[in-house]
Amino acid sequence: MEQDWPCEFPGVNWLDEQEQQAVLDVLQKGSLFRYYGPGKPTHVAALEACAKEFFGVKYALTVNSGTGALMTAMSALGIGPGCEVIVPAYMWVATIGAIVCCNAIPVLCEVDDSLTIDPADLEKKITPRTRLIIAVHMSGAPSDMNVIMKVAGRHNIPVLEDCAQASGGTFKGRPLGTFGKIGIYSFQINKNMTAGEGGLIVTDDETLYMKALAAHDLGVPWKDAEPDGESPIHLWGQGRRMSELCGAVANIQFRKLPRIVEHMRRSKQRIRQGLADLEGASFRRLNDQDGDTGPALVLILDNPQRAKGVAEKVKKTSSTNAWHLPDYGLHLYYNIPSLVNKVPLSDAGNPWSLKENTESVYSYEKGACPQSDELFARSVLITIPSRLTLEQEASLVEIIKGAVTS
């Protein structure tokens, strides 16, 4: 295998002098704050304008992180005590953490062999207290948004799309994040594009946007580079503005996102083709192969022991990373100690002890989602770097074949 194997952080492989010049521009102006400074800040505003055009939405708001985007979006949606929020068993801890920090109750939903929300189980998990469904497009691939939106529509429940791991992805030709009431993205270093940190919220709902604008800042929306004291919207602000330095990098990376995604997707498709005749292993089902962003290949083996062995062999013999899914840390519900143990936000015991949540009693211990648990145990996730050469792709194919058949 070639020594210059690309790193596993997609956007990092595409950093060049464009990002350097953008950061230098901010430093030379001295305007590190997005709204004002010695010189006119332009980068965050340009990123939001580009995002609106790219996603075809009316409103886009940058924030300081993907977690910040989740918190801000849930505040805009009015999630709080007495609310249940449905979330898939395979996600990232920040998604559930945001629910808990709103003093609401997370409700786990099974995933199917796409490793996204199982629509059949989603219908079963809806109660009179359900106030939000979060569709998480995990490991780069889209959820089945047509079915999810039908289920949500029948019950008049809003949908939040967590696109943190699938920026630039689509479902049936439509950008992920534009199906539900509100969509969020992350620019953390592991994501398809990166500014180290940073996040984005998109919506077509003006009221939601204005509430998010207030919540992400001082509690009132900004207008003409200062807080709008005449606005009727008054919330508690969270101080989640994106800095101009972050915006400078993110603005350049966002414009590279289609190329980054296309490169990963094509690499993954060629690797899958090279493994087409592989016996004893199948692939994660993709709800839309053309909409997959491609940062990860998931193999499903016939038993847990074999899956664990394959992950260990790939990790040992390649320069890429591989995980037996049960070992994939805080992506699995039962690997989150604070969730399993219902750790409260304060000594008062909230949100679990709140009278508004007394009817929402759920277990989060392993076994709460048996269908998902069984799937996790047989799954291996292999990262697909964003700048593989054809020779490196062929090398990885042979390594995976050897791991599965030996």
Side-chain angles (χ1 to χ4, degrees), residues 324-343:
H324 184 214
L325 223 53
D327 300 326
Y328 201 32
L330 303 177
H331 292 93
L332 276 63
Y333 74 93
Y334 59 69
N335 284 340
I336 305 173
S338 296
L339 177 66
V340 172
N341 299 315
K342 298 182 182 179
V343 174

Side-chain angles (χ1 to χ4, degrees), residues 136-274:
V136 186
H137 307 299
M138 279 300 293
S139 301
S143 308
D144 188 339
M145 291 311 301
N146 285 348
V147 179
I148 290 171
M149 294 306 297
K150 286 179 182 177
V151 172
R154 282 198 294 270
H155 298 273
N156 196 30
I157 299 169
V159 173
L160 186 160
E161 289 180 75
D162 182 343
C163 312
Q165 296 193 9
S167 295
T170 60
F171 180 74
K172 307 302 182 185
R174 181 173 170 180
L176 297 180
T178 66
F179 289 83
K181 291 288 287 184
I182 199 164
I184 72 96
Y185 311 82
S186 171
F187 305 150
Q188 191 262 349
I189 195 168
N190 288 294
K191 306 309 188 288
N192 290 348
M193 55 160 285
T194 187
E197 275 291 2
L200 177 72
I201 299 168
V202 300
T203 184
D204 281 325
D205 188 307
E206 182 179 10
T207 300
L208 272 182
Y209 169 71
M210 295 302 292
K211 287 182 176 180
L213 188 60
H216 104 293
D217 204 322
L218 302 173
V220 295
W222 279 66
K223 183 180 180 181
D224 299 327
E226 62 181 36
D228 183 5
E230 298 181 0
S231 171
I233 295 176
H234 300 119
L235 303 173
W236 287 108
Q238 301 172 12
R240 301 187 185 279
R241 294 180 299 261
M242 175 178 281
S243 75
E244 188 74 347
L245 275 173
C246 179
V249 177
N251 186 38
I252 300 298
Q253 282 266 301
F254 192 84
R255 294 160 201 273
K256 296 178 180 180
L257 182 60
R259 283 185 289 152
I260 298 172
V261 167
E262 183 65 13
H263 201 289
M264 283 193 299
R265 182 190 293 127
R266 288 186 176 182
S267 284
K268 180 176 175 179
Q269 289 175 349
R270 284 190 290 265
I271 290 168
R272 280 184 57 135
Q273 290 168 1

